[in-house]
Amino acid sequence: PFSTYALEMTAYINRALEITVTAQDPNANDNVQWDFLPFDQLLKDHFSISWPDAYICSGGTRSGQNCTCSDFSCGNSFCPGGTCIQNSANSCPANPCTRKLVWTPAPYTEFLNPSTLQFVARDIPVNEFAVGGAVAAAADPQSDSPLTIVVNVNMPPQFESPTPRYVCEGGTLAGTDYRAKSSCTPQCEEQGGGTCNPPYFEVEIGQTLCFTVQASDREPGSTIDILFLSEGQEYVSPPATRISISELLPTTALEEVNGVVQEVLVTNPVQRSWCFTPNTADAGNLYQSCFVATNPGSGLVPEATTEVNCVNILVRSTNPLFDNPSPANESTITGYVGCPLEFHMAAIKNDTAQYELLVNPTDTYYYTFAGGTTSTPGVPRGAVFYTADSTDVTLTYLFTWVPEEEQEGLYLVCFSTSDSFLINSQQRCVFLDIVRCLRCVKNGESLEEIAQLYNTHWLELYTINPSIHQNPGHIIPGHILNVGILYRTPKLQDVSSLADYLHTTAGDIRRLNPDVLSDEEVIDPFRRVCIMPQVCGSDCGNAGYCNRSPLFGVEEVIA
């Protein structure tokens, strides 16, 4: 084979370096083969090196892989289920023999720099001469001195710990982390079948998220700068007013000074810290912070600048929700005048954010008999809303109300739960139906006292409550009394006309039906109103002796 060569070359990160080698044997009958023998064994089978094998398997379990032999003599024993064929990307062994090595140096991969690559050309001899009528054995293979090429890789700075790392998700390399996307993609995605994801952080509103980026250069004495970009690649960067970035900071290293190992400051590697403090305007937003490291003397050129690395940042939002045992939204709870009406309103933090959970009544809507509504802030008059229980993630309030006379009717009471930042809230409303014509007996009340509240006489109450006929003087707390009867209107008429028709007053009708707002209000046919039938003063039933008029604190006059 041919004479020895020694070369020096320069390569660049992420750029293909192509080296073509050719060897020829003067003996035309001999074939020539090239072997690649890098001094750095890490490059022998590295993914960044392309050195096509002479023979590969076609089909079988090792299809596309080397047959691990130098000629066809090995047959198919190295290709289970397939066939050993010559690689179209490699014409050797041949004479002459030409092969091409392609090296695309990748950042964040371990190799010596400069790297020494060695190529050895050897022949595959045959014996062309017969000796004594017989064919003698072929001569031993001969090889030339190694062709040595020293490659100096011109490398930009590289990120290193504690810089946040990319992570492989899924595939055979799931969970493996990488210093940069360029090292993650070929291994995680191309080899492992996974997805390469940037570093990911979550931060609470009002808290500060910080991370440190550190970069080094393999060339001693290099100057390094770390730059944070104003925009992300996939998402926007956080608002600049809420970001703080440190100055370029040196790191520490151990060096021997006068025979003593000391910790000293060095400017290779260097680091910078990035901090972000979100406020309520950032809630739920996904941001991206991107950065590069560069040799400032060379400018922002690929040969002197790292690829762009990014960090994804989610600002946690709030999601307060009503929870059990809260009544369902727009459900109806039935109540009675004089009886306590109670229910709980409970809320839960359906998130991981840090905030104070709030539950408040917002408005009360009262439905009038004519179909309109009136509204007041908070809870109905006389109702109380207070804390019953609380934990770090839940809050329970108790609503309690004892409706009074002239509070009958339909109410819609609305509540809101929210976070203390007032970012998100949920509303829930509950119908409260305070039934007309019914009243709950309170502790200590007598039939006479109740009658006075409704401008009537105890005999009239007695008349419409058969359940107390045995002993009208003994009514117990919690007993539900009729304080009127439901009357279905036969025709369209106003309240005054209806009162005349029923021998009562418009005031008495409105007292039992507080959702009727005026004497002139027109009531549609077939509506149900609460009416106290007039018994006192009537000729029938021997009730003419009682008088319902002198009530409300005035001594009863017995005829």
Side-chain angles (χ1 to χ4, degrees):
F2 68 121
S3 58
T4 303
Y5 290 89
L7 299 173
E8 289 188 2
M9 293 184 174
T10 300
Y12 300 91
I13 288 292
N14 294 328
R15 276 183 168 179
L17 170 67
E18 296 185 358
I19 301 175
T20 302
V21 291
T22 300
Q24 184 174 1
D25 194 312
N27 186 346
N29 291 327
D30 287 353
N31 282 332
V32 179
Q33 180 62 285
W34 278 103
D35 294 319
F36 172 53
L37 304 172
F39 183 76
D40 184 351
Q41 289 300 303
L42 290 174
L43 295 177
K44 178 65 177 174
D45 298 307
H46 200 268
F47 71 88
S48 64
I49 296 284
S50 173
W51 177 255
D53 296 312
Y55 298 97
I56 60 173
C57 294
S58 175
T61 58
R62 302 187 70 250
S63 183
Q65 300 182 41
N66 184 19
C67 290
T68 68
C69 60
S70 58
D71 55 41
F72 290 112
S73 62
C74 59
N76 297 326
S77 60
F78 294 92
C79 299
T83 305
C84 188
I85 63 172
Q86 187 162 5
N87 189 350
S88 59
N90 178 3
S91 61
C92 300
N95 192 7
C97 170
T98 299
R99 294 192 68 177
K100 181 169 69 174
L101 177 137
V102 180
W103 182 21
T104 306
Y108 311 105
T109 54
E110 299 297 330
F111 59 84
L112 297 176
N113 190 27
S115 288
T116 300
L117 311 182
Q118 291 184 324
F119 301 87
V120 176
R122 57 182 174 83
D123 65 358
I124 303 175
V126 297
N127 190 353
E128 302 91 348
F129 304 101
V131 179
V135 178
D140 292 334
Q142 301 180 57
S143 61
D144 196 3
S145 298
L147 169 61
T148 302
I149 301 178
V150 179
V151 179
N152 182 57
V153 181
N154 192 339
M155 302 182 66
Q158 296 191 29
F159 295 117
E160 58 184 37
S161 180
T163 305
R165 299 169 71 93
Y166 280 71
V167 178
C168 183
E169 181 177 341
T172 59
L173 296 173
T176 306
D177 56 26
Y178 302 86
R179 286 190 285 179
K181 187 174 183 179
S182 61
S183 58
C184 179
T185 300
Q187 298 181 58
C188 168
E189 298 185 1
E190 297 174 7
Q191 296 182 22
T195 302
C196 193
N197 291 328
Y200 175 80
F201 295 102
E202 293 187 3
V203 61
E204 308 285 355
I205 296 168
Q207 296 186 352
T208 300
L209 168 71
C210 294
F211 63 84
T212 299
V213 175
Q214 181 165 309
S216 64
D217 199 313
R218 293 190 183 184
E219 297 183 16
S222 294
T223 303
I224 308 169
D225 195 6
I226 298 172
L227 305 176
F228 285 90
L229 307 184
S230 60
E231 289 297 333
Q233 291 186 319
E234 299 175 86
Y235 309 103
V236 298
S237 180
T241 55
R242 295 190 278 282
I243 294 175
S244 62
I245 302 174
S246 73
E247 299 292 329
L248 199 65
L249 302 174
T251 56
T252 58
L254 295 177
E255 291 186 2
E256 185 175 338
V257 180
N258 298 325
V260 179
V261 176
Q262 298 180 355
E263 191 175 64
V264 297
L265 294 176
V266 295
T267 56
N268 184 9
V270 293
Q271 58 181 218
R272 294 185 82 174
S273 294
W274 182 96
C275 295
F276 168 48
T277 305
N279 64 19
T280 55
D282 303 306
N285 290 345
L286 182 60
Y287 294 117
Q288 192 170 64
S289 174
C290 298
F291 46 88
V292 295
T294 183
N295 291 321
S298 303
L300 291 174
V301 295
E303 294 80 8
T305 306
T306 64
E307 64 173 322
V308 176
N309 267 22
C310 296
V311 170
N312 289 348
I313 302 160
L314 175 67
V315 181
R316 290 176 178 167
S317 186
T318 61
N319 188 27
L321 298 175
F322 281 109
D323 193 26
N324 292 329
S326 303
N329 190 42
E330 297 189 353
S331 59
T332 300
I333 298 176
T334 300
Y336 303 94
V337 170
C339 278
L341 184 155
E342 293 184 345
F343 59 89
H344 289 88
M345 294 301 297
I348 188 171
K349 293 180 179 180
N350 190 36
D351 52 62
T352 57
Q354 300 296 319
Y355 58 88
E356 182 182 354
L357 191 62
L358 304 177
V359 177
N360 292 298
T362 56
D363 297 282
T364 294
Y365 300 90
Y366 183 60
Y367 288 80
T368 66
F369 203 86
T373 58
T374 61
S375 65
T376 56
V379 295
R381 174 174 51 87
V384 179
F385 192 67
Y386 60 92
T387 305
D389 187 32
S390 65
T391 67
D392 291 340
V393 296
T394 62
L395 182 61
T396 302
Y397 272 76
L398 178 64
F399 174 95
T400 180
W401 182 31
V402 181
E404 299 293 340
E405 299 75 20
E406 300 187 41
Q407 285 189 309
E408 296 91 340
L410 183 63
Y411 297 79
L412 181 66
V413 185
C414 294
F415 304 85
S416 172
T417 180
S418 65
D419 56 86
S420 52
F421 300 114
L422 302 181
I423 297 170
N424 289 311
S425 64
Q426 186 187 48
Q427 180 171 280
R428 182 167 293 191
C429 298
V430 181
F431 284 104
L432 303 181
D433 185 12
I434 310 304
V435 180
R436 69 185 77 236
C437 276
L438 296 176
R439 176 195 169 81
C440 190
V441 177
K442 294 182 181 179
N443 188 34
E445 285 186 328
S446 66
L447 202 60
E448 291 88 344
E449 292 171 331
I450 296 174
Q452 287 188 2
L453 294 174
Y454 291 94
N455 195 32
T456 187
H457 193 279
W458 71 268
L459 280 176
E460 293 181 324
L461 289 181
Y462 174 83
T463 302
I464 59 175
N465 285 279
S467 62
I468 63 172
H469 285 179
Q470 295 296 324
N471 188 358
H474 182 66
I475 55 175
I476 59 175
H479 185 83
I480 303 297
L481 286 179
N482 296 313
V483 292
I485 60 172
L486 289 175
Y487 172 77
R488 193 169 76 165
T489 58
K491 61 183 179 178
L492 183 72
Q493 57 190 150
D494 60 35
V495 176
S496 296
S497 299
L498 180 63
D500 291 341
Y501 177 73
L502 296 174
H503 303 287
T504 185
T505 67
D508 285 339
I509 291 179
R510 290 177 53 200
R511 182 177 290 108
L512 294 171
N513 302 274
D515 45 1
V516 177
L517 303 183
S518 73
D519 296 350
E520 291 74 32
E521 185 169 321
V522 176
I523 299 177
D524 293 329
F526 310 116
R527 295 293 303 277
R528 294 186 182 274
V529 293
C530 184
I531 301 296
M532 170 58 75
Q534 184 172 351
V535 175
C536 290
S538 174
D539 292 334
C540 66
N542 296 319
Y545 71 93
C546 70
N547 185 358
R548 66 154 65 168
S549 56
L551 300 176
F552 295 102
V554 180
E555 289 293 332
E556 181 179 354
V557 177
I558 303 296

